Structures are given as C-alpha cells and as structure tokens.
Amino acid sequence: GQRGSSESAAIASGAALLLQQAFEGQFKKLPSACLIKVILINSADDVGAPGVDFVTGYGNLNLYQAINSILESRFFEGNLKDGQDTVITLEVPEHCQHLKITLGWNDPPALPNASNALVNDLDMQVKAGNQHWLPWVLNAAPNPDSLRQTAVRGEDHHNNIEQISVENPQSGTYSVTIKASELNPKDQRFVLCY
C-alpha cells in the first residue's frame, strides 16, 4: 500500500479472505493459513531488486494469480517425518517464461534465547535433466552492506519459506525434492505452491 503498513495490512487481509472463499468454493473446505500464505508469496509480482530482498520481500500481491493457483490446483500439501524426503513432479509446458516454486511450513516456536529461531528445517531443491536449482538465500549479517546484497542460491537453514525460480525453463518434467533435515517434534506439515 502507498500509505504504509496500515493500508498494506488491509489489502493483504482482504486478499487472504478472497483466497479462502475461492478455496472453499473449489474444495468445499477451508484452507490452512499456511496454504494461503504460501500461495500469496508464490503468486506475488517481483519488484525492486530481482528475487527476494530485504526491501520488497517477495514482491507485490497479485490476487489474480493467487486465485488462479487455487482454481488450477497448483499446490501440494504433505507431511514429513524426521530424515524423510518426498519428490513432487511438475510438468512445465512449452513457452513457459517463468517457473516459481515456494515451500512453506508453520514452524513451532523456538526456545527462549535459541541461537537459531528455526526449529524444523525443511530443504528444497529442483532438478530437470542434468540441471538443479537451490532456493534464493539472503545475507542476513547485521550490517547495511550485507542487507543490500542480492540473493544467491544456497541451502536455507534459517527460514520457514524457501523459493526457487527459473527464468525461461525448458519444457518437461521437473522434480522438486523436499527433505526433512532436522525436525523437533518428529514430523512437519508443509505446503508447496508453483
């Protein structure tokens, strides 16, 4: 919102409500809060620096794309146990200009004064043929120069949202591997949107 967080909160709340309505109309049940969050992040339009950044986050809400994600069932919900992984296959059509995949989960609260606030660590990678991609990761070192750096690909062990994007992907089958690297408690529900 151009008027700051007060306007942004109202717009995001209204968008979440419309997504809930679209989901209930399609599947006759209410969606999880995590599903709504991941769909909103995955369908956002990138603004500012390319990819995720500390100024614009994942971009501006795109409610049209978010609702299409629900209507076209471009999401997957699952559960992993500690040390387990799962593979989700996606078919990328010809002439696709941008592939974006977002993984998210509701992480349990960390212990007070924990060195890392992330309790359950899930990791994602995407493969197609002999190519593979890791999520975009920001440098979180507490100084202005680090916070201005663009995201790089790598394993993310600090966040409960991971996103991979591929510009001008080749058509064909893409494998998304989600691995439960460290869980406490010993299982975790997750949402993937593409």
Side-chain angles (χ1 to χ4, degrees):
Q2 295 183 352
R3 295 189 187 102
S5 59
S6 296
E7 183 179 354
S8 297
I11 291 169
S13 297
L17 185 61
L18 290 171
L19 284 181
Q20 285 181 331
Q21 183 180 25
F23 188 92
E24 187 175 24
Q26 185 85 352
F27 301 102
K28 309 303 180 218
K29 63 180 183 175
L30 287 174
S32 69
C34 187
L35 177 64
I36 295 298
K37 176 182 173 181
V38 172
I39 287 175
L40 285 171
I41 289 170
N42 193 71
S43 60
D45 291 329
D46 191 24
V47 294
V52 63
D53 60 69
F54 284 116
V55 176
T56 62
Y58 289 97
N60 287 339
L61 291 180
N62 183 328
L63 185 57
Y64 177 77
Q65 288 298 330
I67 289 176
N68 280 339
S69 295
I70 289 174
L71 298 178
E72 296 170 8
S73 298
R74 289 182 289 159
F75 60 88
F76 179 85
E77 295 181 276
N79 191 65
L80 288 173
K81 296 190 181 312
D82 196 20
Q84 185 180 29
D85 62 26
T86 188
V87 178
I88 300 162
T89 57
L90 306 175
E91 291 299 324
V92 174
E94 289 186 21
H95 310 296
C96 179
Q97 295 178 352
H98 186 72
L99 172 63
K100 187 168 32 168
I101 304 165
T102 304
L103 169 68
W105 63 98
N106 288 332
D107 200 51
L111 295 173
N113 300 318
S115 61
N116 187 2
L118 188 68
V119 174
N120 287 343
D121 187 12
L122 302 182
D123 291 308
M124 172 174 65
Q125 73 170 322
V126 174
K127 291 183 179 179
N130 60 359
Q131 292 185 295
H132 77 280
W133 298 268
L134 293 173
W136 293 109
V137 181
L138 290 168
N139 184 344
N143 64 63
D145 290 339
S146 299
L147 299 176
R148 284 197 276 295
Q149 291 178 359
T150 57
V152 296
R153 292 193 190 273
E155 292 184 359
D156 188 341
H157 301 293
H158 298 288
N159 298 293
N160 66 335
I161 294 287
E162 295 189 3
Q163 188 174 83
I164 295 173
S165 61
V166 180
E167 296 300 322
N168 300 309
Q170 299 270 333
S171 62
T173 302
Y174 285 64
S175 298
V176 182
T177 301
I178 303 167
K179 182 179 181 186
S181 297
E182 186 175 334
L183 301 184
N184 185 19
K186 298 299 181 191
D187 70 316
Q188 178 65 58
R189 290 200 57 72
F190 67 88
V191 173
L192 181 91
C193 183
Y194 56 94

